[in-house]
Amino acid sequence: EKKLDRCLSSIPTYKHDTVVICNTTLPKYYAKANKICTKHNVKMVVTESNGTPGLGKNSVLDYFLQNKEYDYVIPIDGDDYFFPNGVDKIVEIITQDVTIDVLGLTNTFCTKNKKIYNLSYYEENFLQPPRNTDLTQFFSFLELFNTHFDNDLNTISKFHRIVVQSRLSAKLCRYDTTLMGCEDMLYSLQLKKLDLDKKLNFKLFDSANEKIHCYDINNTENGCSGMFLQGHTFEKRCQYLNHKAVILKNSIRHKILYI
C-alpha cells in the first residue's frame, strides 16, 4: 500500500481522470487500497483475479473500453511510479502525434533499494542475480525476440514499458492470463506484429535522457517476475513464449520507428 500511495502521488490526478483497478487474490488488501484511493480522491474498481498479472491488465483495458469518452489510457502498475512531469511528457508526445496507438519506452529507469538505475544497465549487469535460475534460458528467450524483430536502434531487452494505448490497440490485443511473468514481453510482441500488419501504429520513445516512468524492481528478479524465473515450469514457459515468437515472426523483419 505504500507503493500504491507513491504511485498515486506521482500522477497529476487533478488534471487527468485516474482509476485504480484493484486485482488481487488477497481480499484484505482491498480495504487498504481503498483507503489510499480515498486519500487521493481516486475511484477504485475491484475486478476478478486468478493470481496472474495478465488478467488484471486485461481488466484495465476492459474498463478503458467501457468508458467511451476516453481516447487513450496511460497504464501503470501500482508498485511503479512516474517521475515529476512524466505524465505531462507522455501527454505531450501523443498530442503532437495523434496517430499513435501504442507508445513504448526504451532505456528507462528502475529503482532498487531506493536507488535509481537505467534499466538496460540493470539488466546487463544483474545487480541481484535470480536465485535457482538458469540465466542462459532467459537470455535465449531475449535473443530469439531480437532475432525475429531486429532493429539497429532497439532490442526487446531495452524495451521496457507500454505507457499509452489507444482504443484500437485495446480492442485488438489482450494479455495472456496464464503466465506468471513476462506477459508484458509477449504482449509487446503481439502489438509489434499488429504494427507490422499495419493494423495499428506502435512507436517507441527513447527515455534515457527523459525521466518519465520508473519500474520498481524490489519485488522481482532482473526485471522479470520472480515467480516466472524461479518457478519449476520456467522451461515450459520459455518454450511457450519462444513458440509464440516463431508464430508471430512472419517472414519480414520488423522495424518500429522512433519518435
Side-chain angles (χ1 to χ4, degrees):
E1 52 264 35
K2 289 182 179 179
K3 292 183 178 181
L4 177 60
D5 186 34
R6 177 185 65 184
C7 177
L8 291 176
S9 296
S10 74
I11 300 170
T13 56
Y14 63 93
K15 290 200 288 188
H16 306 287
D17 289 349
T18 308
V19 178
V20 169
I21 305 296
C22 196
N23 180 275
T24 179
T25 55
L26 303 173
K28 291 183 179 179
Y29 181 71
Y30 291 130
K32 296 177 181 178
N34 192 52
K35 189 174 181 180
I36 296 165
C37 290
T38 301
K39 169 186 172 182
H40 291 275
N41 196 27
V42 166
K43 178 181 179 181
M44 187 180 90
V45 176
V46 176
T47 60
E48 179 186 1
S49 175
N50 66 352
T52 70
L55 188 59
K57 292 178 180 180
N58 284 341
S59 296
V60 172
L61 298 178
D62 290 337
Y63 182 87
F64 167 50
L65 290 174
Q66 290 165 9
N67 290 270
K68 294 183 171 54
E69 66 269 34
Y70 304 117
D71 296 319
Y72 297 98
V73 62
I74 300 176
I76 182 169
D77 290 349
D79 56 349
D80 300 338
Y81 60 94
F82 292 113
F83 288 108
N85 302 317
V87 175
D88 291 337
K89 290 175 184 177
I90 293 171
V91 172
E92 181 181 355
I93 291 169
I94 58 176
T95 300
Q96 291 176 352
D97 185 353
V98 295
T99 69
I100 294 174
D101 291 303
V102 182
L103 178 65
L105 299 181
T106 62
N107 292 313
T108 187
F109 299 86
C110 70
T111 181
K112 177 74 175 178
N113 297 329
K114 298 183 179 180
K115 294 182 179 179
I116 295 174
Y117 303 90
N118 179 275
L119 191 69
S120 58
Y121 172 86
Y122 183 89
E123 290 183 339
E124 290 167 7
N125 290 275
F126 285 93
L127 301 181
Q128 183 180 341
R131 301 178 298 275
N132 307 320
T133 301
D134 182 355
L135 294 182
T136 58
Q137 289 181 319
F138 186 61
F139 280 127
S140 296
F141 162 59
L142 291 180
E143 184 179 0
L144 189 71
F145 272 32
N146 291 336
T147 299
H148 293 327
F149 294 94
D150 188 31
N151 187 322
D152 292 337
L153 295 174
N154 178 60
T155 66
I156 194 70
S157 57
K158 289 182 182 177
F159 174 77
H160 180 45
R161 269 295 182 268
I162 293 168
V163 292
V164 168
Q165 283 196 250
S166 71
R167 300 186 69 79
L168 176 62
S169 70
K171 289 177 182 176
L172 292 179
C173 200
R174 280 291 181 274
Y175 287 89
D176 189 305
T177 60
T178 65
L179 294 174
M180 295 305 297
C182 284
E183 80 293 334
D184 50 349
M185 287 188 178
L186 178 57
Y187 187 69
S188 65
L189 179 65
Q190 292 169 328
L191 289 171
K192 287 182 178 185
K193 177 61 168 56
L194 288 169
D195 182 73
L196 174 63
D197 293 340
K198 301 187 185 309
K199 293 181 179 178
L200 54 75
N201 182 15
F202 186 163
K203 288 195 175 179
L204 294 174
F205 183 83
D206 187 339
S207 58
N209 299 315
E210 290 273 8
K211 287 191 173 182
I212 294 176
H213 175 282
C214 198
Y215 176 61
D216 195 312
I217 211 80
N218 285 335
N219 292 332
T220 61
E221 303 287 352
N222 295 307
C224 191
S225 167
M227 293 180 70
F228 176 88
L229 287 175
Q230 298 175 35
H232 67 281
T233 59
F234 177 80
E235 185 173 359
K236 289 183 178 180
R237 294 197 184 284
C238 253
Q239 290 173 350
Y240 168 77
L241 289 165
N242 287 341
H243 177 64
K244 283 283 190 180
V246 171
I247 291 174
L248 293 167
K249 168 191 170 184
N250 210 322
S251 59
I252 305 171
R253 288 290 177 92
H254 184 45
K255 196 165 187 175
I256 292 183
L257 295 176
Y258 266 83
I259 297 171

